[in-house]
Amino acid sequence: MKKWFVWGLLNLALVALYGAVMRYKIAFDFPFLNQKNLLHAHSHFAFSGWISQLLFAGLMLIIFPHLEQARKRKYHVLLGLNLIFSFGMLIAFTVQGYKAISITFSTLSIFVAVAYAFVFIKDQRFLPKSHPAKCWSTAGLLLNVLSALGPMFLAYMMATKNIDHNFYLGSVYYYLHFQYNGWFFFGSMALVANYLPTMSLGKYFNFFIFTIIPTFFLSILWAKLPNWLYIITVLTTLIQLFAWLALAFKLWKYLKQQHDRWMSIFFYISAAAITLKFSLQAVSVIRSLSELVFGFRPIVIAYLHLVLLGVYSIFLLGFMFKQKIIASSKGAKLAAFVFLAGVLFNELFLGVQGIASFVYFPIPYINELLFGAAIVLLTGAISMFCVHIYQRSKLES
């Protein structure tokens, strides 16, 4: 089982490497490699090779204790295929961008997501009826499948060369919404519910599943929604925010009782980041403000990194330490905190850049500072992987 998490650590380092290369290209002169191709490779691999890979492996930890050995093999096959197709996307997008090979690998990764959802949901009959992770994992996997309609429509537009700007943006935001707020959130909550079975997190599930579709329209307020749909979007956004605040308070009381305080830092920061995310969503219901914010690329990038790095990457690292997948050695702790510092620096500099863009005020050396934050992230990610490999080889010898 641990090998899939180790691959996840390597993939995180590769995601950080691509981020650092892109930041270098912005800050300095580096004519090699196409920036747009790097961006596509970076984002697709971060979603499929890092977050999804780890969530798939985490869900295996939930269901494996209840399965016979023969039923476990297909999960290993699916994770192996997901890994192959993720690397296929990474290479193809880097070399050619959105072309036949990269679209093929992207489509194959969607098939893996569908197959994993089918297999896992079918095997859930072996879990106890009242298992706390059942509803969260089922919803997360189905929302992952639902999100695939976004990139599939994008691929169709690219293949037919019939690209409508509004449909293009709508498809991108659709995919991001059902990944960030759907698959990533519900998949992560399945891991939380599995390891905190006495906390009765199921009652919060109804609030989040009820609001997941209406809150998508937050991303396309620029499309001039009818008033009735706008009112529903506002109400469900507020319901989601208050449901999360109630749940976060319950989780905070649990974390206060834990002895591994250094480990809890990751969960505190992840919870704080997602609280900020839900709060920003609530503020974005103001149409004029939403249209203004989505018009500034640094703010959009800051928000996306807040969720991908600040919420889910930090949560998954904390989860791996908590489950002893990564040993809590001094070297591993130091590497993890270096990565954490990189996340904080990255969000700080992106936030400053985004706020300054409102008043068209240039921040001196901001691109160099963002490159420095990317180097810190890369150093932490590579160090975690190398320390883990060293410790494992030491144990095996």
Side-chain angles (χ1 to χ4, degrees):
M1 281 295 296
K2 285 187 178 182
K3 66 182 178 183
W4 301 122
F5 291 96
V6 176
W7 275 107
L9 282 177
L10 173 62
N11 294 353
L12 175 61
L14 289 171
V15 171
L17 174 62
Y18 268 64
V21 172
M22 286 191 293
R23 282 295 166 194
Y24 186 86
K25 281 177 68 66
I26 294 172
F28 308 102
D29 183 27
F30 187 70
F32 307 104
L33 301 174
N34 181 281
Q35 183 78 341
K36 193 172 183 180
N37 291 355
L38 288 175
L39 177 61
H40 285 310
H42 172 74
S43 58
H44 280 80
F45 193 71
F47 279 50
S48 181
W50 164 232
I51 302 292
S52 290
Q53 182 79 10
L54 264 290
L55 288 178
F56 285 149
L59 294 183
M60 286 163 67
L61 292 177
I62 294 174
I63 204 162
F64 267 29
H66 306 275
L67 296 182
E68 297 175 354
Q69 192 63 35
R71 290 188 174 273
K72 297 177 182 179
R73 294 191 188 116
K74 50 184 171 256
Y75 290 90
H76 290 291
V77 171
L78 288 171
L79 257 72
L81 290 174
N82 183 69
L83 202 60
I84 292 169
F85 298 150
S86 295
F87 274 97
M89 282 192 288
L90 183 71
I91 297 168
F93 276 115
T94 302
V95 174
Q96 65 169 200
Y98 256 109
K99 294 289 178 64
I101 298 176
S102 55
I103 291 173
T104 299
F105 278 117
S106 180
T107 304
L108 289 171
S109 71
I110 290 171
F111 288 156
V112 169
V114 173
Y116 190 101
F118 177 80
V119 169
F120 188 92
I121 293 171
K122 184 180 178 182
D123 283 346
Q124 278 193 340
R125 68 185 187 274
F126 297 107
L127 291 173
K129 287 185 178 180
S130 59
H131 196 286
K134 253 187 178 181
C135 56
W136 297 101
S137 55
T138 300
L141 289 167
L142 291 177
L143 289 167
N144 188 26
V145 173
L146 186 64
S147 73
L149 294 176
M152 287 178 71
F153 191 67
L154 279 176
Y156 168 78
M157 286 193 291
M158 294 285 185
T160 60
K161 302 188 185 305
N162 183 23
I163 302 172
D164 179 276
H165 181 67
N166 286 339
F167 279 120
Y168 181 91
L169 285 179
S171 299
V172 171
Y173 290 138
Y174 173 93
Y175 175 70
L176 291 175
H177 174 76
F178 285 105
Q179 284 284 296
Y180 280 1
N181 302 310
W183 164 227
F184 293 173
F185 178 75
F186 285 87
S188 298
M189 285 305 303
L191 302 184
V192 174
N194 184 58
Y195 294 103
L196 301 177
T198 60
M199 287 190 67
S200 303
L201 301 181
K203 63 183 179 181
Y204 298 98
F205 171 81
N206 293 330
F207 291 106
F208 291 107
I209 200 65
F210 171 74
T211 58
I212 184 63
I213 292 178
T215 50
F216 159 66
F217 295 102
L218 276 175
S219 304
I220 56 169
L221 289 179
W222 42 264
K224 308 300 180 186
L225 305 177
N227 288 333
W228 65 268
L229 184 54
Y230 174 69
I231 291 171
I232 291 174
T233 303
V234 172
L235 290 175
T236 51
T237 301
L238 294 175
I239 289 170
Q240 193 178 74
L241 171 62
F242 289 118
W244 168 254
L245 291 175
L247 176 56
F249 180 70
K250 193 167 188 175
L251 294 172
W252 175 71
K253 288 199 296 184
Y254 169 80
L255 287 174
K256 280 180 65 178
Q257 302 169 1
Q258 298 306 296
H259 300 295
D260 297 325
R261 292 295 177 89
W262 77 268
M263 206 178 291
S264 297
I265 291 173
F266 291 89
F267 299 119
Y268 278 128
I269 292 177
S270 178
I274 200 170
T275 302
L276 178 58
K277 169 197 167 297
F278 282 124
S279 301
L280 291 173
Q281 281 184 189
V283 173
S284 71
V285 298
I286 304 171
R287 275 176 166 164
S288 58
L289 181 61
S290 177
E291 291 175 6
L292 178 65
V293 166
F294 276 103
F296 289 91
R297 193 166 182 271
I299 295 176
V300 175
I301 294 173
Y303 177 79
L304 295 177
H305 282 82
L306 170 70
V307 181
L308 189 68
L309 288 175
V311 178
Y312 298 114
S313 293
I314 290 177
F315 166 76
L316 289 171
L317 288 175
F319 173 80
M320 284 192 282
F321 276 111
K322 188 70 176 175
Q323 298 306 312
K324 299 184 178 2
I325 294 165
I326 304 176
S328 300
S329 65
K330 289 182 179 179
K333 288 181 186 178
L334 178 61
F337 280 112
V338 168
F339 182 84
L340 184 58
V343 173
L344 296 176
F345 283 133
N346 187 65
E347 281 306 305
L348 174 63
F349 298 148
L350 282 173
V352 169
Q353 185 185 38
I355 294 170
S357 66
F358 272 116
V359 292
Y360 300 97
F361 180 78
I363 303 296
Y365 303 108
I366 188 64
N367 290 326
E368 288 81 1
L369 289 170
L370 284 167
F371 172 66
I375 291 298
V376 176
L377 276 167
L378 177 60
T379 302
I382 291 177
S383 299
M384 275 189 290
F385 175 73
C386 292
V387 168
H388 180 78
I389 294 298
Y390 170 75
Q391 289 174 338
R392 192 176 69 172
S393 62
K394 196 174 178 181
L395 285 171
E396 289 174 353
S397 61

